[in-house]
Amino acid sequence: NGANTESRGACIVLEGLDRSGKTSQSTRLVSYLEGLGHSAELWRFPDRTTSVGQMISSYLSNESQLDDHTVHLLFSANRWQKRSLMERKLKAGTSLIIDRYSFSGVAFSSAKGLDFDWCKAPEIGLLAPDLVLYLDIPPEKAAERGGYGTERYEKLEFQRKVADCYKVLQDPSWKVVDAQLPIEEISKQVQEVGLKCVEQCLKGKQLSLLWS
Ligand code: TMP
């Protein structure tokens, strides 16, 4: 039925604490989908290649200081910078596998104490993902994995707060995956729901906007 249900790519977001395995799983999902002949791209936020992304990157590496509200809006602006390209890609049939999105934006900023609804506001009107995969890991376990670098948010105390904020954001449509399972098992689960989502969008599904 008509223009609203045209075939398109799927927008799949992976979320989770630092060291939850999002990056590996996003990469694996892209390879899997490509292996099946689907067009798929790996995206990530923050996208550090844009001008706004460079400001964020220097903030994260503690090379610059910014007010919490300001950096929140930069993260959001960084997504707005990519919105039209995102829509074009999806409409052209390419699926986007995105390592972090607006949910990180809200979880990390509200973990600092910023008002939850204020944090959501600048995300309104961005494209809503078709699927959110949440890689679930207790903060203590993520910290044990090592590789917490020197970036601003990579501290156990803070990650505990982020985990709580993710819980507030989480809705029943999210696919929660136990990030402590063996990597192959996680991939299997991610691939199964990921492929289903891609096939559904191929058949035709209306794009929707945050927060709906
Ligand atoms: P990365 O390690 O995935 O590149 O993300 C960098 C950090 O930025 C990570 O600790 C999560 C945080 N973050 C936000 O605070 N707000 C956002 O909107 C996004 C996308 C990430």
Side-chain angles (χ1 to χ4, degrees):
N1 160 35
N4 284 343
T5 53
E6 268 170 41
S7 176
R8 63 170 175 85
C11 177
I12 300 178
V13 166
L14 281 88
E15 287 283 359
L17 298 180
D18 288 291
R19 306 302 298 161
S20 59
K22 290 179 310 307
T23 305
S24 315
Q25 291 301 333
S26 311
T27 309
R28 282 170 163 244
L29 180 56
V30 170
S31 309
Y32 172 73
L33 293 171
E34 284 179 336
L36 295 175
H38 293 293
S39 164
E41 281 183 17
L42 177 62
W43 280 33
R44 66 178 313 140
F45 288 108
D47 177 342
R48 301 186 193 218
T49 65
T50 72
S51 51
V52 171
Q54 282 163 27
M55 292 174 72
I56 293 171
S57 189
S58 111
Y59 169 82
L60 288 171
S61 57
N62 295 299
E63 283 159 25
S64 68
Q65 308 303 321
L66 290 167
D67 161 74
D68 291 341
H69 297 83
T70 308
V71 78
H72 179 78
L73 295 173
L74 290 180
F75 273 112
S76 184
N78 187 232
R79 283 183 279 280
W80 279 100
Q81 285 187 301
K82 308 290 288 194
R83 189 199 181 286
S84 60
L85 181 61
M86 211 167 143
E87 185 166 346
R88 282 202 305 279
K89 293 266 180 188
L90 292 172
K91 287 186 170 165
T94 298
S95 287
L96 304 178
I97 312 305
I98 311 182
D99 184 352
R100 296 193 186 283
Y101 196 54
S102 303
F103 313 97
S104 284
V106 177
F108 280 76
S109 291
S110 60
K112 293 170 164 177
L114 299 193
D115 179 75
F116 194 74
D117 290 325
W118 186 89
C119 290
K120 285 174 88 171
E123 309 296 320
I124 295 172
L126 287 173
L127 298 179
D130 298 295
L131 172 66
V132 178
L133 282 154
Y134 184 73
L135 297 189
D136 194 23
I137 188 165
E140 295 73 22
K141 295 289 175 191
E144 277 170 20
R145 288 186 170 180
Y148 263 175
T150 52
E151 284 211 329
R152 197 177 279 267
Y153 299 148
E154 296 179 336
K155 297 188 179 73
L156 179 56
E157 235 1 87
F158 185 67
Q159 297 281 324
R160 282 200 183 105
K161 289 183 188 155
V162 174
D164 291 340
C165 293
Y166 265 129
K167 282 202 189 96
V168 179
L169 265 178
Q170 197 173 311
D171 81 49
S173 71
W174 287 22
K175 167 73 181 170
V176 178
V177 179
D178 180 355
Q180 294 186 85
L181 291 172
I183 186 163
E184 296 296 340
E185 181 55 35
I186 299 171
S187 290
K188 222 177 93 190
Q189 295 187 18
V190 165
Q191 289 167 1
E192 195 181 313
V193 284
L195 180 59
K196 221 177 268 171
C197 178
V198 166
E199 286 171 344
Q200 198 182 17
C201 293
L202 258 178
K203 280 189 209 144
K205 184 179 172 219
Q206 197 171 354
L207 267 176
S208 56
L209 306 180
L210 289 176
W211 299 86
S212 58

